[in-house]
Amino acid sequence: SPFPDPRIVVAWDGRLWTFNSEDGSGARVPYRAAWSDFLSSTVWQRGGYNGTGSAGYQDLIDGGTNDADPITAAIDLRDQIIAFKANTIYIGRWEQAPIFYQFRKLSRGLGCISQGSVCRYREAVVFLGDDNVYVLDGEEVKPIGDKIKTRLRAAVAVTALGRTVGIVDPINQLYWLFLPKTGTTTMITLFAFSFRDGSWWEGEIANPNILPVCALAYRESTWDHTLTLGSRNGSFYELDDAATTDATTAFAASWTSKEWDSLQVSEGKVETMKMHQIAIHSRSGKITVKTTCKPTLDGTEPGTAQVSHTKLVFNGKSEKFVGLHEGDRFNQIQLVWDMASAAS
């Protein structure tokens, strides 16, 4: 290939596509998008070997600021291919000869900072920008990460966001983001977005052996998708929402609710609210319910109360209720599963 050592490779429309490659002399051309001849991944010369092919390339620069910036991500979507820079998005579509394909700028000031974060969900693409998480339907870009922007900046190593890995769970309609945790090189912060209701959830992978570098979702049979993570240690891990052990070693698990403000929930009518009861559905396992109630958001004022309630034991699919009778201005609930307890 006259475009060796590409940073990004995509197979689409009967061709092989490369982005951010060298030019054959060893010099990198970070803004170049190139495509092979139709059904010929080894033919890259314009016009092909006999002058009738349709291979080619386009340098994604147009005289604007930062045009020489590198292409950071690419993905196909329906009848188009999308190329990202950190602050720009280009849409490529088929044109007639002698151009064959033409990239046009969709946006400036908005782009993608991690190839690993880019995923398709139905008729759209989800990706991580430098200030939010976005969904692109091919024409319009919408932010979906406003709820976690502040938390993401605090929990994630911002300088290492290029190592972010994303994956879509089509069955549960979730978008998982695995991001390097701030202050460490051996832990991962994860955020999950629900396409159903727009909610976000936060978690953590504390196993230093699981450092995702890639992810793949594939369909095994009807209603059955497998989600896998490729780790820096050379192992592959399967995402399983019912597992309680990793290589026979039990791990702890917990779920923490958002911290809600009584004044906001009551639309300004009351400053404090008391939680009365919570219902928990589970197939099996042992679960402890914990509550945190605070008069101030930072929890530094006297009166902050953290209470562990009765441990629940599930020996079969059932529903149990816990009386809480706790409350203040800011309230939060946490469920903690026993290690080696097969709860779900």
Side-chain angles (χ1 to χ4, degrees):
S1 166
F3 312 107
D5 193 25
R7 293 287 188 265
I8 303 158
V9 178
V10 176
W12 173 72
D13 205 23
R15 305 168 192 275
L16 199 62
W17 295 71
T18 64
F19 300 85
N20 190 344
S21 63
E22 294 181 358
D23 63 1
S25 68
R28 180 156 296 279
V29 189
Y31 42 76
R32 179 161 293 173
W35 54 92
S36 72
D37 208 352
F38 184 62
L39 299 181
S40 298
S41 61
T42 60
V43 178
W44 294 83
Q45 292 86 347
R46 285 186 180 274
Y49 288 133
N50 58 8
T52 61
S54 53
Y57 70 86
Q58 182 181 344
D59 290 338
L60 304 188
I61 53 176
D62 58 6
T65 304
N66 299 324
D67 265 355
D69 285 355
I71 297 171
T72 55
I75 192 171
D76 60 280
L77 180 67
R78 302 189 300 271
D79 62 343
Q80 57 196 7
I81 189 160
I82 305 168
F84 298 89
K85 294 183 180 181
N87 292 286
T88 317
I89 302 175
Y90 296 87
I91 302 294
R93 293 189 175 95
W94 170 258
E95 298 280 351
Q96 296 300 318
I99 298 175
F100 302 116
Y101 290 92
Q102 179 70 35
F103 283 87
R104 293 180 173 86
K105 189 175 297 180
L106 177 67
S107 73
R108 182 180 291 281
L110 174 63
C112 175
I113 59 175
S114 172
Q115 169 68 27
S117 72
V118 182
C119 297
R120 269 185 304 273
Y121 177 70
R122 296 183 176 174
E123 296 296 307
V125 169
V126 198
F127 63 93
L128 177 66
D130 67 355
D131 64 345
N132 211 321
V133 183
Y134 294 93
V135 171
L136 166 63
D137 63 7
E139 300 292 340
E140 186 178 1
V141 185
K142 296 180 180 179
I144 60 172
D146 288 346
K147 297 176 182 178
I148 63 165
K149 288 174 65 174
T150 301
R151 177 59 190 156
L152 192 148
R153 282 194 297 267
V156 173
V158 176
T159 57
L161 284 177
R163 300 203 307 267
T164 298
V165 173
I167 190 171
V168 165
D169 178 350
I171 299 299
N172 295 307
Q173 299 180 44
L174 297 172
Y175 172 59
W176 293 88
L177 266 180
F178 299 86
L179 306 112
K181 182 179 174 65
T182 185
T184 177
T185 58
T186 59
M187 295 176 69
I188 295 294
T189 297
L190 61 90
F191 289 92
F193 173 74
S194 170
F195 290 103
R196 293 177 178 176
D197 59 17
S199 61
W200 281 94
W201 302 91
E202 181 184 350
E204 183 178 276
I205 298 179
N207 186 335
N209 294 319
I210 305 178
L211 295 173
V213 294
C214 62
L216 176 66
Y218 59 92
R219 183 175 180 177
E220 290 188 304
S221 59
T222 304
W223 298 106
D224 186 10
H225 278 73
T226 297
L227 309 179
T228 59
L229 292 177
S231 180
R232 196 178 303 171
N233 66 355
S235 299
F236 286 90
Y237 296 88
E238 181 178 337
L239 293 177
D240 187 339
D241 59 8
T244 58
T245 61
D246 175 29
T248 72
T249 301
F251 57 82
S254 64
W255 172 87
T256 304
S257 75
K258 69 175 291 184
E259 193 169 66
W260 65 86
D261 182 345
S262 299
L263 195 63
Q264 184 179 32
V265 171
S266 66
E267 297 182 341
K269 296 177 181 178
V270 297
E271 190 170 342
T272 63
M273 298 177 68
K274 181 176 288 188
M275 297 177 288
H276 177 63
Q277 191 178 65
I278 183 174
I280 301 173
H281 304 259
S282 181
R283 292 193 293 265
S284 60
K286 301 175 182 179
I287 303 172
T288 298
V289 180
K290 297 183 178 182
T291 55
T292 301
C293 307
K294 304 182 299 184
T296 59
L297 186 60
D298 59 12
T300 58
E301 296 293 324
T304 296
Q306 293 180 306
V307 179
S308 292
H309 299 267
T310 304
K311 181 179 291 185
L312 305 177
V313 179
F314 293 86
N315 294 314
K317 186 175 181 180
S318 59
E319 178 183 66
K320 295 182 182 293
F321 296 87
V322 178
L324 302 177
H325 308 296
E326 305 285 342
D328 212 311
R329 168 74 186 273
F330 299 95
N331 303 296
Q332 191 172 49
I333 297 174
Q334 184 180 45
L335 306 182
V336 181
W337 285 265
D338 279 9
M339 293 180 65
S341 169
S344 57

